[in-house]
Amino acid sequence: MRAQRSAAGGLGGAADSADAVRSAGTVDPADTIDPAEAVARRALSDFGIAGEADLRFVNRRENVVFRVTADTGEWALKVHRPGYHTDGEIESEAAFLQTLAGAGVGVAQPLRRHDGSHVAHVTDAHGATVQVSVQEWLPSATPLGSSPDTFTGRGCPAVADLRELGRTIALLHDCAERSGAPAGYDRHAWDAAGLCGPQALWGSAAHLPALSAAQRTILAEAEEAVARDLHRLDRSPASYGPIHADLTMENVLVSGGRIAVIDFDDCGEGWYLFDLATACFFLTGHPRGDRLVTAVLDGYRAQRPLTRRDVEAWQPLLLARALSYLAWSVDRPDEEATRFHLEHLLPHILPAASRYVATGRTGWPELVAG
């Protein structure tokens, strides 16, 4: 997990926790919130929102998110981190959301500007151009759970909610397989190269400075083994296509037993099982992890079959997801999330990585076809 989302209810689709333990850290309002708020305020009119609308800070992680309240509605406004996504990539995210909404998947729909686009450009106090996008606010909803608390056994999502999460992920994948990528879809690929190659999107777990020589060797060998096995996986439309890629509990909202999925900041193309692996990884640390993972898989299986190809993909993708969180921490030594990763995730991942190199299995819960 990369980020720890606020537990406040009703976070919108743009509310950003592209991670499951990526912590916000300490925010100096004078340095971060106020300049971002000025940018957000200037962007409102581009989306047809009154300039005097109420603007409330929600969180700052990779992006800065505000809740916008006006007479005409409520929205989640995102001030994007510089240089991470092109306009085309943000438009691709919006197109994916619209496709999913049309298929009945619970998502926050994006708001268009006057010209029909989804990205506003605002000049900040330093003369830099900043991207801003807006999505609907999802009221009366709360996150499914806390990834850190669940992993360490301090908390536990309801089993019924986990089953519904599995069903919702299956609906998302049914839509992705049926519709394919939207026209002009331009997003990162969470494939073998994107997960474990030299140019992996989040880097290499083996580069963590805190590792001993023996630990570094284990993780490097695991990354090589996972990359090798991922190259063998099926990439037909039945197995590979548009995915969310960050389905941690903080990015799943629950309201009255219904599930909505938010924060598509990391969406791209990849194996559908990567979404399931992401949804399940933090459950594997819980004392009742087997039961919790089974609930997600059962919910998925009730909507969409799990095939032998999925069984083949499960273990390498589950370990690839785990390694990616360590890799994310390499360049963020001072983050709260990194401290969590080193203290809790690393001891959980090292024996699984060593076992995988030797046997091709992690020792974490298995997936059964059906």
Side-chain angles (χ1 to χ4, degrees):
M1 122 191 93
R2 289 184 291 163
Q4 204 167 339
R5 181 185 291 279
S6 165
L11 292 179
D16 198 52
S17 101
D19 336 283
V21 182
R22 181 188 351 164
S23 171
T26 301
V27 178
D28 182 346
D31 292 337
T32 56
I33 298 177
D34 289 348
E37 182 173 349
V39 167
R41 179 74 62 187
R42 287 199 292 273
L44 292 176
S45 61
D46 273 23
F47 293 94
I49 302 172
E52 65 274 13
D54 183 58
L55 195 63
R56 297 188 183 184
F57 174 78
V58 174
N59 60 29
R60 179 187 181 93
R61 292 177 174 83
E62 302 293 347
N63 308 298
V64 186
V65 178
F66 296 90
R67 180 177 182 174
V68 181
T69 303
D71 292 341
T72 51
E74 285 192 300
W75 299 272
L77 181 149
K78 180 190 294 185
V79 178
H80 290 260
R81 52 184 151 166
Y84 185 65
H85 284 309
T86 65
D87 288 359
E89 289 169 343
I90 298 171
E91 292 290 353
S92 292
E93 175 187 339
F96 187 31
L97 286 169
Q98 290 168 329
T99 300
L100 293 174
V105 181
V107 295
Q109 295 202 52
L111 184 64
R112 292 184 182 273
R113 297 173 61 233
H114 295 301
D115 64 1
S117 69
H118 296 93
V119 186
H121 299 96
V122 178
T123 303
D124 68 13
H126 303 289
T129 300
V130 181
Q131 296 162 311
V132 177
S133 62
V134 177
Q135 294 174 2
E136 65 177 325
W137 184 267
L138 301 179
S140 304
T142 57
L144 173 64
S146 160
S147 296
D149 286 351
T150 300
F151 186 85
T152 56
R154 295 191 302 266
C156 185
V159 168
D161 288 341
L162 291 174
R163 289 198 188 99
E164 182 62 17
L165 170 61
R167 191 187 75 85
T168 299
I169 297 172
L171 286 172
L172 190 157
H173 295 163
D174 281 345
C175 175
E177 180 181 357
R178 183 172 59 250
S179 303
Y185 193 66
D186 179 20
R187 300 289 297 191
H188 298 306
W190 295 96
D191 55 8
L195 286 168
C196 290
Q199 302 300 319
L201 296 175
W202 289 359
S204 169
H207 293 164
L208 266 175
L211 298 174
S212 68
Q215 291 171 334
R216 197 176 311 281
T217 297
I218 290 171
L219 294 184
E221 290 178 349
E223 287 178 327
E224 290 177 6
V226 168
R228 177 197 65 218
D229 293 343
L230 292 181
H231 277 294
R232 299 170 178 169
L233 297 183
D234 177 54
R235 290 185 59 157
S236 72
S239 302
Y240 187 99
I243 59 173
H244 181 284
D246 193 20
L247 281 171
T248 61
M249 284 173 273
E250 290 79 2
N251 289 336
V252 177
L253 300 185
V254 182
S255 178
R258 302 190 57 145
I259 294 287
V261 178
I262 63 171
D263 191 0
F264 281 71
D265 199 44
D266 285 327
C267 72
E269 291 188 310
W271 290 281
Y272 301 136
L273 263 287
F274 188 60
D275 275 343
L276 267 182
T278 302
C280 290
F281 171 70
F282 285 98
L283 305 176
T284 66
H286 194 278
R288 291 184 285 127
D290 284 8
R291 181 187 178 206
L292 301 181
V293 170
T294 296
V296 177
L297 298 181
D298 284 350
Y300 189 96
R301 194 181 285 110
Q303 173 67 34
R304 178 181 172 89
L306 288 167
T307 68
R308 284 176 293 182
R309 290 190 299 264
D310 296 327
V311 173
E312 182 184 4
W314 175 246
Q315 289 285 322
L317 286 172
L318 194 57
L319 183 55
R321 176 79 280 181
L323 292 169
S324 74
Y325 294 128
L326 299 181
W328 180 90
S329 299
V330 171
D331 295 327
R332 298 166 175 85
D334 299 324
E335 291 275 358
E336 180 184 341
T338 296
R339 291 190 288 273
F340 181 88
H341 294 167
L342 294 177
E343 180 180 354
H344 297 283
L345 298 195
L346 183 61
H348 185 66
I349 293 170
L350 280 169
S354 181
R355 189 179 294 113
Y356 188 89
V357 171
T359 68
R361 322 309 297 170
T362 59
W364 297 333
E366 293 283 354
L367 182 149
V368 178

